[in-house]
Amino acid sequence: MSPEASAHLAGIPMWAALLVTALAVVGAGVTLIGSIGLTVFRTFYERVHAPTLGTTFGMLCIVTASIVMFSVTDGAPTLKAILVGAFLTVTTPVTLVILARAAIYRDRVEGNDVPADDF
């Protein structure tokens, strides 16, 4: 790490460092749990749901950590990370729906058991 970068990071208040660390660890942990759910569940429909929830909440924590970190280091509110969060919030559920509909179509064509159409 360059001396300028280490001097810049040395000026971060302890509360900000602890908050950013906690948010990043919680976000990474929730995302990991969602990824583990991908391997634990048996059917495709169960498997596709766990990572989507984990990604959404984990991303929220990590984006919040990023906003806090860069707002403290820049000395002014920084909201650029909200764009990343907005794109992930929109694209993740849309991808889930497209994958689920493709799987339902495939299962119906093949004559497999398909989840009830309750929605």
Side-chain angles (χ1 to χ4, degrees), residues 27-28 30-31 53-65 81-82 84-90 92:
V30 170
T31 303
L53 290 175
T55 300
T56 303
F57 184 69
M59 174 269 313
L60 176 69
C61 289
I62 292 172
V63 165
T64 305
I82 289 178
V84 173
F87 289 131
L88 284 174
T89 301
V90 170
T92 301

Side-chain angles (χ1 to χ4, degrees), residues 30-109:
V30 170
T31 303
L32 177 65
I33 290 169
S35 299
I36 291 170
L38 181 67
T39 62
V40 171
F41 293 121
R42 285 182 263 140
T43 68
F44 171 79
Y45 303 103
E46 293 171 336
R47 273 188 248 142
V48 76
H49 190 66
T52 302
L53 290 175
T55 300
T56 303
F57 184 69
M59 174 269 313
L60 176 69
C61 289
I62 292 172
V63 165
T64 305
S66 176
I67 289 171
V68 170
M69 177 68 181
F70 291 113
S71 293
V72 169
T73 56
D74 292 348
T78 303
L79 303 176
K80 297 174 193 172
I82 289 178
L83 286 174
V84 173
F87 289 131
L88 284 174
T89 301
V90 170
T91 58
T92 301
V94 170
T95 304
L96 165 71
V97 169
I98 291 171
L99 285 171
R101 286 186 181 184
I104 288 172
Y105 177 77
R106 181 200 61 211
D107 287 344
R108 285 185 179 154
V109 167

